[in-house]
């Protein structure tokens, strides 16, 4: 995929998304020993970067293609984003969500007017349920990470980061299905791109190590947005474009999230803190560098029970 | 006090504070039926607007005046702000804090290099402990709200809001000791200024109603930053400048805080959500208006226990 596709995507979506701010923190710079630029996609429409890809996909389709509406399967943020994009285009959206997706994400998706179909939490169950929906409704499937229009949309984050922060030595992103990481690899120009993945969802790490695309581990990590696996397309883009993938533990994800809440006063969901967790674990790699970090989303169940678990 | 003092304060402090962003939310605009401009002082240095006044006070003093350092009593945010300002001027700071101040605020103040003296939670206990410190150390007392240099510093918020958002019909602020509200009254120009106070700390409300300055209620509200009372100076400024004071319940404060976390993805402390709670309770007053709201701070204990209580 070429960077020109990402520039075209940016032209297509820029009036319907927010150019999110970049935050900095002298205390976090000191802690890491690097100059950090946090791209606040938690402040994006729908609470995550996913609107970029979803809007690009929906705005790319012809009226005829859209007749049956759109469908997808998603643990939450892509679901909500596709619902927003479909509503803007005034076509129906159906979303298959695993029954362990955060309630706030299920509710937000329904509030945007999408029809929700719940299924079991494994990738197989999600794909099977989505195939049924597609057959019944004749909707266009907009896959959350392997669709090239999605990848191009997510890559627009890197364009904005490089424009606003100037040259960067590195951009660090979380890796779930690899749509974000792929788009950023294509758009990153001179910046090296590092992926970070939870140890408990390390399919991309193992796939890149072995050179063979592996399926996901059981979807158990607290980083609910990263419970998916690479597709053939994102696997191949990441093999070529990614510097490396770092792994982080559940404790490291929660500690990074807590630091971001404390110092930036920003609500970042567990998946959104994964990239920063990777930097905290590998400070030596980033010492003295100018580093862009994607805070990918901010959708957290704000209940005492969930918060009590996240901030034990 | 004249607006020129506030403009001078802004010139004095602007290189050492952050011009905080103003956030907007179409969903919150719809909910209230007004155009809302949230001034994000939770993103300010030290996590609250208090650095404005503290920095103005400390930068106003001569080296000779500063020989004994500075001291104050504060439930937290002014303490932390004074510690930052004193460190910048390289003079010692001693802060008397009530023993029920959030641990995060106590720790942050100590981390900034201030000496902390704990005391009982009532205003009498705080003032007595502070007088002792002053006597022993010969430090300059920088009162958190009645000092004119503090009031002038806090008023700079209104200058920035009107500059960035354009003309506003109203500016809504929380009322504790009245330093912020007083500064905003003086700097607000054509905008009407509304104060909001917790029902459980309604000394300013009762004082303005009766025309006689009353002492504080027992310091029990969840809005820990507003557990103080008006001084003679702030009482007199608010009598003249404030449109009115609205009261809000503890439940309304927590509901407003939760909405801000959910929709703006910003961490706002209970005191920082009080102004918005007042708007939610009195939507009819603000219908169709352009309304500035001060989100005064974002310092919350991020522990499971505290969050469990705030998000019951």
């Amino acid at each position: 995929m070429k960077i020109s596709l990402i520039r075209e995507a940016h032209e297509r979506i820029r009036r319907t998304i927010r150019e999110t701010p970049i935050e900095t923190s002298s205390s976090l710079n000191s802690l890491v020993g690097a100059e950090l630029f946090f791209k606040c996609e938690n402040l994006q429409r729908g609470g995550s970067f996913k609107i970029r890809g979803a809007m690009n996909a929906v705005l790319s389709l012809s009226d005829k293609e859209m007749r049956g509406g759109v469908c997808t399967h998603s643990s939450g943020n892509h679901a909500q984003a596709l619902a927003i994009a479909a509503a803007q285009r005034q076509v129906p959206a159906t979303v298959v969500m695993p029954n362990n997706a955060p309630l706030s994400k299920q509710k937000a998706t329904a509030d945007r007017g999408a029809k929700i179909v719940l299924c079991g939490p494994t990738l197989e169950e999600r794909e099977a349920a989505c195939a049924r929906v597609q057959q019944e409704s004749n909707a266009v499937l907009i896959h959350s990470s392997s669709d090239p229009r999605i990848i191009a949309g997510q890559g627009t984050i890197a364009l904005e980061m490089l424009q606003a922060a100037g040259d960067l030595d590195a951009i660090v992103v979380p890796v779930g299905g690899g749509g974000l990481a792929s788009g950023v690899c294509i758009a990153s120009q001179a910046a090296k791109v590092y992926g970070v993945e939870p140890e408990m969802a390390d399919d991309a790490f193992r796939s890149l190590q072995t050179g063979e695309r592996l399926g996901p581990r059981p979807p158990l990590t607290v980083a609910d947005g990263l419970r998916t696996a690479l597709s053939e397309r994102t696997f191949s883009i990441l093999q070529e474009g990614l510097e490396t993938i770092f792994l982080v533990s559940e404790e490291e994800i929660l500690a990074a999230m807590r630091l971001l809440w404390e110092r930036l006063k920003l609500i970042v969901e567990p998946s959104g803190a994964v990239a920063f967790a990777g930097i905290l674990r590998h400070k030596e790699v980033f010492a003295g560098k100018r580093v862009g970090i994607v805070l990918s989303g901010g959708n957290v169940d704000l209940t005492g029970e969930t918060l009590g678990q996240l901030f034990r």
Side-chain angles (χ1 to χ4, degrees), chain A:
Chain A
M1 191 185 287
K2 286 182 179 165
I3 194 168
S4 59
L5 277 181
I6 297 179
R7 296 211 175 95
E8 285 167 31
H10 205 218
E11 280 310 308
R12 189 175 293 118
I13 66 175
R14 68 193 314 169
R15 280 169 302 279
T16 56
I17 64 160
R18 174 174 183 190
E19 178 169 348
T20 54
I22 288 178
E23 285 287 323
T24 60
S25 157
S26 50
S27 78
L28 294 181
N29 284 353
S30 304
L31 183 67
V32 173
E35 205 176 344
L36 307 176
F37 299 88
F38 295 95
K39 178 67 169 167
C40 298
E41 290 293 302
N42 58 330
L43 305 180
Q44 186 54 269
R45 280 186 77 185
S48 88
F49 71 95
K50 292 283 192 180
I51 189 71
R52 295 174 182 268
M55 196 63 89
N56 188 46
V58 167
L59 295 182
S60 299
L61 291 163
S62 69
D63 286 346
K64 192 173 161 199
E65 287 171 306
M66 300 279 279
R67 253 186 317 199
V70 289
C71 71
T72 196
H73 63 91
S74 159
S75 65
N77 282 337
H78 175 62
Q80 195 175 335
L82 192 66
I84 295 172
Q88 182 131 345
R89 191 79 195 262
Q90 297 184 296
V91 296
T94 308
V95 178
V96 172
M97 296 183 85
N99 51 25
N100 66 345
L103 287 177
S104 61
K105 292 181 176 178
Q106 295 183 35
K107 184 177 175 309
T109 305
D111 285 351
R112 302 295 191 166
K115 183 181 163 197
I116 295 182
V117 177
L118 289 178
C119 70
T122 68
L123 191 60
E124 291 71 29
E125 290 168 295
R126 288 163 59 158
E127 285 177 347
C130 194
R132 278 196 303 277
V133 165
Q134 217 186 331
Q135 235 169 5
E136 287 163 16
S137 63
N138 207 18
V140 183
L141 172 67
I142 310 282
H143 188 277
S144 63
S145 57
S146 75
D147 190 307
R149 298 162 295 200
I150 292 288
I151 294 172
Q154 320 305 30
T156 61
I157 293 177
L159 298 185
E160 289 180 12
M161 290 174 83
L162 293 166
Q163 167 109 52
D167 287 347
L168 295 171
D169 299 307
I171 300 179
V172 189
V173 296
V175 179
L180 168 64
S182 294
V184 169
C185 278
I186 293 160
S188 64
Q189 302 175 58
K192 290 180 181 173
V193 181
Y194 295 84
V196 187
E197 211 178 19
E199 286 170 357
M200 289 183 73
D202 64 352
D203 64 287
F205 175 82
R206 291 180 296 129
S207 300
L208 289 179
Q209 278 225 319
T210 60
E212 192 181 339
R213 186 170 71 100
L214 302 168
R217 297 248 230 139
L220 296 170
T221 173
V222 68
D224 56 86
L226 308 180
R227 290 173 186 156
T228 52
L230 299 182
S231 63
E232 279 302 337
R233 180 175 287 113
T234 57
F235 178 48
S236 130
I237 295 173
L238 297 189
Q239 271 188 310
E240 196 182 326
L242 210 57
E243 196 66 18
T244 190
I245 290 195
F246 297 131
L247 294 180
V248 289
S249 70
E250 298 295 290
E251 292 67 31
E252 287 171 323
I253 295 168
L254 293 177
M257 185 178 91
R258 186 183 170 141
L259 258 181
L260 293 169
W261 287 42
E262 234 174 52
R263 304 296 169 85
L264 298 183
K265 308 298 179 195
L266 290 177
I267 297 184
V268 179
E269 61 183 272
S271 307
V274 161
F276 184 51
I279 292 175
L280 290 172
R281 179 149 163 186
H282 295 279
K283 288 177 194 162
E284 71 289 352
V285 174
F286 302 99
K289 302 260 164 70
R290 290 169 56 82
V291 185
I293 300 139
V294 179
L295 303 181
S296 55
N299 293 324
V300 178
D301 274 351
L302 294 175
T303 63
E305 195 188 341
T306 299
L307 293 171
Q309 286 165 358
L310 296 178
F311 290 90
R312 266 191 303 266

